Amino acid sequence: MALIKRYGIYYADFRVPNGKRSRTSLQTTNLRVAKDKYAEIVSRRKKAKENLVVDMEWDAFKDRLFRFMSAERSESTIRWTKLAIKHMEDFNTPRMLRDVTPSLLQGTKEFMINEGFGKHNINRCMQALKAIMRLAEKWDLAVEQKWKAVGKLKTPKGRVVFHTDEEIDKLLAACPSLGWRLVVLLGADAGLRRGEIAHLQWRDVDFEHNQLYVAPDKTENHRFVPMTPTLREALTKAKNGAKSEYVVDVGWASSRNSKDFLTSYYPRIAKAAGVKSYLHKLRHTYASQLVQKGIGLYEVSKLLGHSSIQMTEIYAHLVPANLQQAAMCMTPRKMPENNSLFNVANGTTK
């Protein structure tokens, strides 16, 4: 570790267990204060290193992991985690937590490929295994390792499906309550994910600035999404008779910890409307309509809360028609007559 100064501010410069360099601001320009803070960080890191548990049994870690996940994670996440662990143990069951390495995950991935599992399934399992090992590192039960070395399998992007305006109207008409109409509108007019719809609270609805504050529980990122006139009208009506802190009230508040309380009933609405639909298709509809109306992929990415614009490129096939229309708006050029001022033969002008 080292104490360094950059642009007048002192920093603690050190390397983390995986070898990468890390730098923490001490938030002071005073050398004496910086030295005290630096000594405190050194002491804390030394103590953490001495107390690091590297000999924890794999079964003991799993018990602790699922106690934590049962309180902090959704049923879907727990289900995928258990499935990923099963596939890893089918390949090679670790005895100790330290036996779970990027090499073991890579071997598990190749094992699943040979067993004929689909690419999406394999990627999801690898993602789950990396997540639990990063938790182990966060809990100081394991040293940091290079989990990015276990890459994702490339999967075809394909073309997304989305609803027409007429189909959205049919879905709204088939909804049994205002709460379910809000589910449809929050997906189709605001692009919210299933979990974001379920956990949106009235404090997140800013009528003054005409926007929603969306903070998905799976990340620390947040975004602001403008409200369409239709969505605003529905939210205003629902707000007047609201009996819960949550925006979407469909009578199953006790099951709100699981996002499945929405997907278990929505297919009935789609069937009644005579429309082939699923909840995430509403989000696709929002993004697709934005792109078709000429909104750039970067702006759409921000509205959807994508971590990178590459995730938004699945809607890129909707852009060309707009580009062609934009090109037709170019100022017409006046073509000159054949008596050009430039002599092609000798490269001179008249």
Side-chain angles (χ1 to χ4, degrees):
M1 291 184 63
L3 180 64
I4 63 174
K5 188 176 183 181
R6 291 288 184 272
Y7 306 107
I9 304 295
Y10 286 95
Y11 293 83
D13 189 271
F14 54 91
R15 291 190 181 276
V16 293
N18 64 6
K20 291 185 177 180
R21 190 175 179 181
S22 181
R23 185 177 295 169
T24 301
S25 172
L26 300 178
Q27 299 179 340
T28 181
T29 58
N30 188 298
L31 178 58
R32 180 179 297 178
V33 175
K35 286 182 177 180
D36 290 341
K37 288 187 174 183
Y38 178 77
E40 183 182 347
I41 292 177
V42 171
S43 175
R44 190 166 63 244
R45 285 174 57 82
K46 183 178 180 181
K47 188 179 295 185
K49 187 174 181 180
E50 291 172 351
N51 296 333
L52 184 63
V53 179
V54 293
D55 288 329
M56 189 175 197
E57 292 186 353
W58 172 244
D59 288 339
F61 170 71
K62 285 196 298 182
D63 291 340
R64 175 173 176 176
L65 172 70
F66 288 118
R67 283 198 304 271
F68 165 79
M69 295 189 75
S70 63
E72 300 286 339
R73 298 292 186 263
S74 68
E75 293 179 5
S76 175
T77 301
I78 296 173
R79 189 163 55 247
W80 272 105
T81 301
K82 288 182 176 180
L83 182 62
I85 290 176
K86 177 185 180 300
H87 290 320
M88 183 180 72
E89 292 179 343
D90 287 343
F91 170 67
N92 188 2
T93 303
R95 187 176 66 87
M96 309 296 291
L97 177 59
R98 66 170 180 266
D99 296 333
V100 183
T101 63
S103 177
L104 177 60
L105 265 62
Q106 181 64 31
T108 302
K109 182 172 75 171
E110 294 171 0
F111 166 76
M112 293 182 69
I113 293 173
N114 293 333
E115 289 294 313
F117 289 96
K119 291 182 178 180
H120 287 285
N121 195 327
I122 295 173
N123 286 340
R124 189 72 180 267
C125 287
M126 291 301 106
Q127 181 183 3
L129 292 172
K130 291 178 188 179
I132 65 173
M133 290 310 298
R134 290 190 175 110
L135 267 179
E137 295 169 359
K138 182 180 179 180
W139 294 340
D140 289 336
L141 299 176
V143 296
E144 293 187 17
Q145 301 187 71
K146 297 181 180 179
W147 301 110
K148 287 185 178 180
V150 185
K152 292 177 62 176
L153 296 174
K154 291 185 177 181
T155 55
K157 292 181 179 179
R159 292 195 172 190
V160 294
V161 290
F162 54 92
H163 290 298
T164 62
D165 290 337
E166 291 75 17
E167 288 176 335
I168 295 297
D169 290 341
K170 289 180 181 179
L171 288 168
L172 289 171
C175 289
S177 66
L178 178 57
W180 279 107
R181 291 192 185 97
L182 281 176
V183 171
V184 174
L185 290 174
L186 287 170
D189 278 20
L192 269 61
R193 301 178 178 93
R194 177 181 61 166
E196 294 168 349
I197 294 173
H199 294 101
L200 187 70
Q201 298 184 21
W202 285 114
R203 65 184 182 184
D204 302 323
V205 181
D206 186 351
F207 287 104
E208 181 181 354
H209 298 95
N210 196 55
Q211 62 186 6
L212 304 175
Y213 171 74
V214 184
D217 54 359
K218 71 174 187 176
T219 68
E220 296 180 355
N221 297 327
H222 65 271
R223 66 188 190 276
F224 294 94
V225 180
M227 291 186 284
T228 63
T230 305
L231 176 58
R232 182 187 175 92
E233 180 183 353
L235 286 169
T236 302
K237 188 180 298 184
K239 175 68 172 176
N240 293 334
K243 298 179 181 179
S244 168
E245 61 182 329
Y246 292 99
V247 172
V248 172
D249 185 4
V250 291
W252 298 327
S254 59
S255 304
R256 196 174 295 275
N257 287 335
S258 170
K259 293 175 285 191
D260 293 335
F261 85 99
L262 290 177
T263 49
S264 60
Y265 188 85
Y266 182 75
R268 302 183 192 179
I269 296 175
K271 184 176 181 180
V275 176
K276 291 183 178 180
S277 181
Y278 50 91
L279 273 177
H280 205 74
K281 190 174 180 179
L282 299 173
R283 178 170 159 88
H284 286 321
T285 300
Y286 176 72
S288 300
Q289 289 192 352
L290 287 175
V291 174
Q292 286 178 315
K293 293 182 184 300
I295 307 301
L297 290 181
Y298 177 79
E299 287 76 12
V300 174
S301 175
K302 294 301 180 183
L303 288 170
L304 292 176
H306 284 166
S307 57
S308 69
I309 196 171
Q310 283 75 20
M311 299 177 67
T312 321
E313 288 179 351
I314 60 173
Y315 307 103
H317 67 282
L318 300 172
V319 175
N322 294 309
L323 292 180
Q324 184 177 15
Q325 184 179 1
M328 297 303 292
C329 295
M330 294 290 290
T331 304
R333 308 297 182 190
K334 183 178 180 180
M335 292 297 292
E337 300 293 337
N338 289 333
N339 55 343
S340 173
L341 296 177
F342 187 80
N343 192 318
V344 178
N346 55 24
T348 60
T349 57
K350 293 183 180 179

